[in-house]
Amino acid sequence: MIKKGLMVLFVVLVSSSFVSAKVGDNVRIGGTYLGVLNSLKSKTAQFEFASNIDFTYVMNKRLTVMLQVQGGSGAGSLGFSGRAISFSDILFLYDLPEYQSHITVGSFDMPIGLGTGHLTNNADSFNHPFILNNLFYSSLANGVGTFNTLGLMVKRFDKMFNTTVAITNGTAGDASNANNTFATLLQLSSDSLVNKLNISGTYLKTNDQMDPASSESFRTDLTLSFVDARYALSKDVYLAGHYGQLIFDDNNSATKDKVTVLGAEIGYDNSDYFTAIGISYWTPEDKDGSGSGMSDDIKKPGLFESAVADDEIKRYQIAIGMHIDKNTQLKIEF
């Protein structure tokens, strides 16, 4: 079964940092605003708006408190926050320079791959040439969100490798943990093995099968293995790629639970203009589009509501943009 569709995002409004100011010596307030005019084939074009407000309080030389509040117009087609204000990251960051480490406690983005630092996070797309995240990261949150979770994370920075360990409630961004088990994550990364190459490997295991239907979690026994890399071809040009497998175990031996993800991206960015081309694949082990034979827990990260969980999805993205000033971008994405 083959389904084709074209989505065009005309970002004719601006994605801009509207506040970046210090309040006293220890408090900083910042934020981003994003306006989008988009059109999905067979759907009416619409304006969408989103905003983030960030608060940072440096309590002392070791301890920093961070809070992000998100909002949006709601009722859109891309997944921006709704009209109700929501709290995203709420965390304490404790620095341990004598151990080359820091500890994060609270609500934070689960660090799956290098791409976590290059995602659209509601109104903030400044670290990302596209508006929409690729299919893999769209499956973890949505096309314009990040995989937020609640728990403890420790990062250690060594000469050759950086190590991240996280223990969280699971795949929900709230405090629900009906399974009475924790998600565990281990990530190793390095930018020292090859000049200009940054590479990362991540393993995640979590069981959220007992979470109630009202929970935001995946409600599955999830195993995730993921590798990605980013290479600086020059000062202005980068190449990025990823490969991974997700197993959505539904405790049914008759179904196929595995999904393979693959993607690549090349981009150019200077002080005036930027452009990028990206491709990402979402390939279930059962990919015949019949709507049966696959795990009922498998996500559907695409934009088309008619897709079923055993559809293979391919996403091609092209973005062109300009830096109007250091705080304002204009983008067009196909």
Side-chain angles (χ1 to χ4, degrees):
M1 183 182 297
I2 299 175
K3 300 182 178 73
K4 293 184 178 179
L6 172 66
M7 184 193 68
V8 183
L9 303 182
F10 296 105
V11 189
V12 295
L13 302 177
V14 297
S15 169
S16 67
S17 173
F18 66 91
V19 175
S20 182
K22 292 187 70 175
V23 181
D25 294 329
N26 298 325
V27 178
R28 179 174 292 277
I29 301 175
T32 50
Y33 167 83
L34 179 66
V36 177
L37 170 61
N38 72 75
S39 174
L40 276 75
K41 188 177 181 180
S42 78
K43 291 191 176 182
T44 304
Q46 60 187 178
F47 289 101
E48 297 191 41
F49 304 93
S51 62
N52 295 1
I53 301 177
D54 303 298
F55 300 90
T56 303
Y57 174 41
V58 181
M59 298 184 69
N60 54 54
K61 66 178 182 180
R62 289 185 181 269
L63 184 60
T64 301
V65 181
M66 302 174 68
L67 167 66
Q68 183 175 94
V69 179
Q70 296 185 352
S73 53
S77 55
L78 302 182
F80 295 114
S81 291
R83 291 192 173 190
I85 295 297
S86 62
F87 292 93
S88 180
D89 297 342
I90 310 172
L91 59 89
F92 292 86
L93 180 65
Y94 193 77
D95 193 23
L96 296 168
E98 64 270 33
Y99 298 105
Q100 298 176 275
S101 305
H102 63 239
I103 300 172
T104 301
V105 180
S107 175
F108 52 83
D109 294 337
M110 187 72 95
I112 299 180
L114 305 170
T116 300
H118 300 276
L119 295 176
T120 294
N121 181 15
N122 198 49
D124 187 0
S125 67
F126 275 83
N127 294 320
H128 194 213
F130 304 105
I131 297 297
L132 281 179
N133 298 324
N134 63 45
L135 286 171
F136 169 67
Y137 286 108
S138 294
S139 74
L140 299 178
N142 60 50
V144 290
T146 58
F147 183 14
N148 195 261
T149 188
L150 190 69
L152 168 71
M153 178 170 62
V154 180
K155 290 189 176 184
R156 178 177 171 85
F157 306 92
D158 293 307
K159 184 175 181 181
M160 292 297 295
F161 291 95
N162 301 324
T163 306
T164 302
V165 177
I167 301 174
T168 77
N169 284 345
T171 52
D174 54 31
S176 63
N177 189 21
N179 270 79
N180 199 28
T181 60
F182 293 105
T184 54
L185 175 141
L186 173 63
Q187 180 185 104
L188 295 176
S189 64
S190 177
D191 58 4
S192 303
L193 297 177
V194 178
N195 187 34
K196 299 182 180 179
L197 175 68
N198 200 347
I199 189 168
S200 169
T202 305
Y203 177 82
L204 169 71
K205 178 65 178 177
T206 182
N207 187 346
D208 299 321
Q209 289 178 318
M210 299 299 294
D211 284 357
S214 58
S215 172
E216 298 175 352
S217 79
F218 292 3
R219 300 179 65 215
T220 191
D221 186 356
L222 176 67
T223 304
L224 185 155
S225 304
F226 185 77
V227 294
D228 67 338
R230 192 175 184 92
Y231 183 72
L233 295 171
S234 70
K235 180 173 67 74
D236 299 326
V237 182
Y238 72 90
L239 178 66
H242 68 262
Y243 172 84
Q245 289 191 338
L246 302 91
I247 299 175
F248 297 85
D249 187 357
D250 61 352
N251 287 338
N252 183 354
S253 60
T255 60
K256 295 181 178 179
D257 305 334
K258 185 187 299 182
V259 177
T260 299
V261 293
L262 183 68
E265 179 183 323
I266 186 169
Y268 171 83
D269 190 355
N270 64 21
S271 58
D272 297 316
Y273 302 97
F274 60 92
T275 185
I277 298 173
I279 181 172
S280 55
Y281 292 84
W282 175 266
T283 308
E285 185 179 8
D286 174 9
K287 58 177 181 178
D288 59 10
S290 66
S292 62
M294 73 294 177
S295 167
D296 291 335
D297 300 337
I298 290 178
K299 305 273 285 182
K300 295 186 293 183
L303 291 169
F304 295 98
E305 296 175 358
S306 60
V308 293
D310 59 348
D311 271 334
E312 181 181 37
I313 306 173
K314 301 175 184 178
R315 175 176 290 174
Y316 306 91
Q317 295 172 261
I318 301 173
I320 304 169
M322 63 184 297
H323 300 286
I324 297 176
D325 56 48
K326 70 176 184 178
N327 292 325
T328 310
Q329 294 179 346
L330 178 67
K331 297 182 183 181
I332 299 176
E333 178 178 342
F334 298 89

